[in-house]
């Protein structure tokens, strides 16, 4: 063979060998995982986490499945930095969720400071910006992101943070699962889901259903929750369309706070008055659209309609009761007479609320280089309209032996009832840009302009004094600016400044006069206008890897609220808890979050610590005669407390410690634990922090939970969970008040004494169940650009 023939042959062999070597190396290389975060409520292209100037926390569906949490609030309380829960309603589906001292609550009248989104739709309800956690089905969640700070891109209510939920689809969740468990308190839960994709990959569908029933751990606290979620989708190389339908039919009972003296005499599981029932029905349709004009230009948006109907039925004490000279016998005899409002010990408060809302959001994303630098620019427009009808009435009656109310058919005067219709409209324009100056420095600038108009129509008092009829308009441009420094793949540093706002709600505007107080949500009257709340946040932090398997983070924040809205006790109604909403000049929330998480062979762990300092930054007076430090005003004879700059807000523990542990006993068997510890907190009514009674401060507590799962090869899993392993008796909230129930007998006495009311935490409980997963994933065409 001559040289001319050998040379081409050798070159061919060498080329083939080199190609093989390159292929082998490519197979051995582990591509670095890039976590992408959507910077707006819509799930668009997103940006890498290391370019986001915030301490974002994200939860995947597998974590929710493992821990069997009933609501997002429950999961967040046990696992996420900066979160604590006040069990004000004492129902697992109705928690008050606090994050960095801001609240998302289902209770009308609670000042809301967090925005919550589901698939790009803000689900803070139209009437009071409340969040109904029972209307977010857990087994429909694909992932949840907690965004801290006053991020203006997430619109109204984003004073302290935003929660963005993305639901499952047949494309993300192929196959099915059926799960059932039972155990303590007569709890029976059945969940099912199934998702699939067509053979050509163009169409997909997903459906899930939940059924929850339990008797509750306190008497008169049986609840049931029924949820259905469906989604259908279609996509090709450039366009995707998804439409979802959520339905809910829920009946919840939660009997709220109990007087400390009655807990001592009647037991930890006793109730103050019963019942406290809420019925929620919902129909929610959401259409999401995405279209790529080019690989780096995307149009996305949604259109939604949401109908939520709420009914409440509450047995309460009668605020207007006046003990007769002849004692209770005289009162009871006259309860059916013309002076029933003074002689009846009990009252049944009923309310009916219909909220219909619809709107749209659209945004354009440009991921094109700018002057040779990597850049992403998003601009968008949004509109939301909510129409509400709220009615309430009070029926008088007598407290029975169970402290329930036997109604007499007589209703309160018409002037003390409510029949309100309202419409609120919000237009928003927003934009954000993330520019990478080089591989190490990334700058994000954002802004959002909101204009909100609230029209109230009082059907009982259409005009004149006391009327709720009126129009209120609120406008504001909120900016933010952030910077990230990423010197390598193991470290990210960030800092940001942001502003956001929220407009007063209809219920706050209807209860803002100290001389016409209300006991929410039972009564409202025409009042002076409130100013919108504005929050300004500085945020900075570090995050990264200590080793390839150990991550860490450290963040600090400082938020000042101006014109913060708080519910204050009225001097004209000291004995019945009535009050009014008022703007507080300044409040402050600041603190740090720190975390450490890792894996060592079969052992996984995560440790989180949060310091939350929530204080008043201006001085003011609150009418109060149950605080031991209260002072009497010589001119009016009313008692009050003086709140000064630096006094801590109630209901927010300063220190939080959360530890999660997991151990793979075998490849099929896993055991885990959540341990949460919260420091003490001030009781409501002790806003000046000067009350010297034992109830002025709620003691801290620690709760240990255990869970385990065994996975069989045929798709079956069996699992078990124990909450509050050591059966600790603890309180998540306290409130100073007056108690007319005799601790010795548990019966209404008519003579009130100072007492502290507590929200008791659930005692030890355990559940066991099984889960069957079926339908393996198949390889289909995918056109996702992100």
């Amino acid at each position: 063979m001559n040289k001319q023939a050998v040379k081409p042959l050798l070159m061919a062999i060498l080329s083939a060998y080199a190609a093989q070597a390159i292929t082998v190396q490519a197979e051995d290389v582990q591509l670095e995982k890039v976590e992408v975060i959507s910077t707006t409520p819509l799930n668009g292209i997103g940006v890498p986490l290391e370019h986001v100037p915030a301490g974002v926390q994200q939860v995947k569906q597998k974590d929710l499945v493992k821990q069997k949490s009933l609501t997002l609030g429950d999961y967040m309380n046990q696992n996420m930095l900066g979160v604590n829960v006040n069990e004000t309603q004492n129902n697992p589906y109705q928690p008050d969720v606090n994050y960095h001292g801001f609240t998302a609550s289902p209770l009308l009248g609670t000042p809301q400071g967090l925005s919550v989104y589901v698939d790009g739709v803000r689900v803070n309800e139209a009437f009071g910006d409340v969040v109904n956690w029972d209307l977010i089905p857990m087994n429909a969640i694909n992932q949840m992101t907690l965004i801290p700070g006053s991020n203006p891109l997430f619109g109204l209510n984003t004073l302290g943070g935003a929660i963005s939920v993305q639901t499952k689809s047949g494309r993300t969740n192929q196959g099915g699962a059926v799960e059932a468990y039972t155990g303590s308190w007569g709890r029976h839960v059945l969940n099912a889901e199934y998702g699939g994709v067509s053979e050509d990959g163009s169409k997909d569908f997903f459906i899930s259903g939940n059924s929850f029933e339990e008797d509750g751990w306190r008497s008169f606290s049986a609840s049931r929750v029924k949820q259905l979620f469906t989604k259908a989708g279609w996509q090709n190389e450039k366009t995707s369309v998804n439409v979802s339908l959520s339905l809910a039919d829920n009946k919840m009972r939660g009997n709220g706070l109990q007087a400390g003296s009655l807990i001592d005499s009647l037991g930890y599981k006793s109730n103050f008055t019963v019942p406290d029932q809420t019925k929620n029905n919902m129909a929610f349709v959401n259409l999401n659209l995405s279209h790529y004009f080019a690989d780096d230009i995307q149009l996305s948006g949604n259109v939604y309609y949401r109908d939520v109907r709420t009914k409440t039925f509450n047995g309460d004490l009668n605020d207007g009761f006046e003990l007769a000279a002849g004692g209770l016998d005289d009162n009871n005899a006259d309860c059916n007479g013309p002076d029933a409002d003074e002689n009846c010990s009990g009252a049944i408060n009923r309310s009916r609320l219909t909220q219909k809302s619809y709107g749209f959001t659209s945004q354009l994303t440009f991921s094109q280089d700018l002057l040779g630098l990597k850049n992403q620019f998003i601009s968008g427009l949004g509109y939301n309209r909510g129409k509400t009808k709220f009615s309430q009435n009070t029926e008088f009656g007598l407290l029975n032996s169970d402290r329930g109310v036997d109604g007499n058919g007589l209703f309160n005067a018409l002037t003390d009832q409510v029949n309100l219709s309202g419409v609120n409209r919000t237009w928003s324009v927003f934009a954000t840009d993330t520019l990478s100056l080089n591989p190490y420095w990334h700058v994000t600038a954002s802004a959002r302009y909101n204009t909100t108009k609230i029209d109230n129509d009082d059907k009982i008092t259409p005009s004149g004094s006391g009327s709720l009829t009126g129009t209120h308009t609120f406008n504001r441009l909120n900016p933010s600016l952030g910077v990230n420094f990423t010197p390598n793949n193991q470290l990210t540093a960030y800092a940001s400044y942001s502003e956001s706002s929220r407009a007063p709600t209809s219920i706050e505007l209807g209860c803002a006069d100290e001389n016409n107080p209300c006991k929410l949500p039972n009564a409202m009257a025409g009042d002076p206008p409130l100013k919108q709340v504005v929050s300004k946040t500085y945020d900075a932090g570090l995050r990264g890897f200590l080793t390839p398997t150990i991550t860490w983070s450290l963040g600090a924040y400082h938020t000042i609220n101006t014109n913060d809205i708080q519910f204050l006790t009225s001097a004209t109604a000291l004995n019945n808890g009535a009050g009014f909403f008022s703007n507080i000049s300044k409040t402050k929330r600041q603190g740090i979050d720190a975390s450490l998480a890792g894996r060592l062979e079969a052992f996984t762990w995560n440790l989180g610590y949060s310091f939350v300092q929530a204080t008043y930054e201006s001085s003011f007076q609150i009418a109060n005669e149950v605080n031991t430090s209260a002072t009497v005003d010589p001119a009016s004879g009313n008692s009050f407390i003086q709140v000064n700059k630096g006094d801590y807000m109630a209901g927010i523990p300063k220190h939080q410690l959360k530890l999660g542990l997991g151990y793979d006993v075998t490849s099929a068997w896993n055991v885990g634990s959540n341990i949460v510890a919260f420091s003490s907190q001030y009781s409501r009514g002790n806003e000046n922090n000067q009350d010297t009674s034992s109830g002025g401060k709620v003691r801290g507590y620690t709760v240990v939970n255990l869970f385990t799962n065994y996975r069989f090869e045929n798709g079956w899993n069996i699992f078990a969970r124990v909450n509050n392993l050591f059966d600790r008796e603890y309180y998540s909230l306290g409130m100073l008040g007056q108690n007319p129930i005799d601790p010795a007998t548990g019966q209404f006495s008519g003579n009130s004494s100072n007492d502290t009311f507590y929200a008791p935490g659930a005692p030890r409980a355990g559940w066991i169940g099984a889960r069957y997963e079926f339908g393996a994933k198949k390889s289909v065409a995918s056109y996702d650009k992100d």
Side-chain angles (χ1 to χ4, degrees), residues 653 655 677-681 697-702 729-731:
H655 303 283
F678 297 96
S679 65
S680 60
Q681 57 181 274
K697 219 174 185 183
V698 180
R699 65 179 184 270
Y701 60 92
T702 300
E729 294 187 355
Y730 66 94
Y731 308 120

Side-chain angles (χ1 to χ4, degrees), residues 248-283:
D249 181 9
N250 305 332
K251 182 179 179 180
M252 299 164 293
R253 293 187 180 94
N255 293 308
L257 280 63
Q258 171 64 307
S261 62
L262 298 181
I263 292 176
D264 294 337
S265 62
L266 303 179
Y268 186 72
K269 300 180 181 180
S270 61
N271 297 314
F272 189 62
T273 59
V274 296
D276 189 344
Q277 177 178 286
T278 300
K279 293 182 179 180
N280 279 335
N281 293 88
M282 180 191 71

